[in-house]
Amino acid sequence: MATAAAAVGARGAGARAAAWALRGSCRTAAPGRPCTGPARPLCTAPGTAPDMKRYLWERYREAKRSTEELVPSIMSNLLNPDAIFSNNEMSLSDIEIYGFDYDYTLVFYSKHLHTLIFNAARDLLINEHRYPVEIRRYEYDPSFAIRGLHYDVQRVTLSDFSRGLSVVPDEEVIDMYEGSHVPLEQMSDFYGKSSHGNTMKQFMDIFSLPEMTLLSCVNEYFLKNNIDYEPVHLYKDVKDSIRDVHIKGIMYRAIEADIEKYICYAEQTRAVLAKLADHGKKMFLITNSPSSFVDKGMSYIVGKDWRDLFDVVIVQAEKPNFFNDKRRPFRKMNEKGVLLWDKIHKLQKGQIYKQGNLYEFLKLTGWRGSKVLYFGDHIYSDLADLTLKHGWRTGAIIPELRSELKIMNTEQYIQTMTWLQTLTGLLEQMQVHRDADSQLVLQEWKKERKEMREMTKSFFNAQFGSLFRTDQNPTYFLRRLSRFADIYMASLSCLLNYDVNHTFYPRRTPLQHELPAWSDMPSTFGAPRLQEARAK
């Protein structure tokens, strides 16, 4: 999983070994050498037609046996869910300043939070936007959506898969977009927003999971009850209701009132910050959340002295505008949260500042370039501008990564993916046989392959599959992650597994035109493995 370009990529050695085993079983090849051309049918008596069905199924069984023999060796070489993965080479010895977002970076929330957001936004739709009270019967389903999905505002479809809560047939999707690719002009802009006439919105924020679910539920109600409605109004009303849960303080008050219910206590967060402080690293916090909310959360997970660990603390920054708008000055807040009118000439340790902008931040601190590493969970709002415009190094916190890696370490997943790779190679080799009997066998293999691809998708999410892969391709989310994050990990606690001078090297992932050479030999290099961590 060099750059997480594919779930199978994480199994590169196993998949390549499966391909080697498949090629090595060719009956036309010299002993001990891989097959270099199309396989030929078994020898038959002179004047008789070859039994192609028998021949193909023997090849199938040989490949199956070879695959089954590979699984134990792959199972002994599992991926490490606590590893840090690299898109670009980066040495921590060059990093002098560490910056952090707050939500889903320094602090993680329990499953109860998304239910709270969903219920509160649903009630706002009913009470303030006059939506039917019947939508109150819909409850939040945490297994429904994943991040990175696109919502087509006009067609009310979520990543071309569901309309409301119902599956959209493939034929209808192809007809809607006049092909298997969504036209680029219909896609959302750089920040994943629907603007300039674009009809799609991309959901990249972890907080957007309740929003996607609520959109789907309300669409489902209107569609099932044959209610005529304007999709643009629905999208805007749901968006505004989700926004108001934050802006009106509904979410903040609920968390502060029952902090143990909503915040996952993690003493490792303090351990990470203490480790960096002990090595003389400067640290700062830039978050969109309000001061009192951050203070109570950080006091809970780090301690009441949490501000002593940070050189600069900025709240209600309004990212991503913070990284682009040069006009907004900083304002200092006193201990009671009152905004002061003083002109800011220096950002002082122990103080809390509101708003501001990155240009002023750079001027006041001098923290520029690749000596700064900033961590956040939002690919666009936290990381994109810092990479493209300001030269900072970036680290993405992807909580879903740990659960996906654990799934990829299961025997069922490994068996399925290894056989899927092998079966695909078998189909590619045997498609040269065009006779009727061979085509019947190949059609059975294609059916099995299709069923397996659906099954591998459901390992992660029944509706939308993996956050990182769609069939053989990386998702749009992963492509953005690869572009805007130098390193990525499941949580900041992963930093505890590495020395402060550690250098991260991205693994070389073969391009499609490089695969023939790479796939014929087992690789000795791969993603960080679980037994490596255990050995430490």
Side-chain angles (χ1 to χ4, degrees), residues 81-93:
D82 294 315
I84 294 177
F85 300 87
S86 175
N87 292 319
N88 299 305
E89 184 173 329
M90 186 185 76
S91 177
L92 293 181
S93 62

Side-chain angles (χ1 to χ4, degrees), residues 84 98-100 105-106 266-279 281 283 301-302 309-310 375 397 489 491-498 500:
I84 294 177
Y98 285 77
F100 306 92
T105 300
L106 288 171
E267 59 186 20
Q268 287 182 316
T269 299
R270 182 178 180 90
V272 170
L273 299 176
K275 176 181 178 180
L276 297 176
D278 289 344
H279 284 84
K281 307 298 182 181
M283 290 180 284
I301 63 172
V302 176
L309 295 169
F310 290 89
F375 291 95
I397 303 300
M489 66 208 75
S491 70
L492 285 175
S493 64
C494 298
L495 283 170
L496 297 174
N497 301 322
Y498 297 84
V500 291

Side-chain angles (χ1 to χ4, degrees), residues 90 115 220 344 346 456 477 523:
M90 186 185 76
T115 300
E220 176 78 2
I344 306 301
K346 181 181 180 181
T456 57
F477 177 91
S523 173

Side-chain angles (χ1 to χ4, degrees), residues 180-201:
S180 58
H181 290 78
V182 178
L184 184 62
E185 63 183 18
Q186 296 184 26
M187 300 294 284
S188 50
D189 65 13
F190 178 79
Y191 291 106
K193 298 178 181 178
S194 180
S195 61
H196 306 297
N198 296 324
T199 62
M200 287 195 174
K201 153 76 177 176

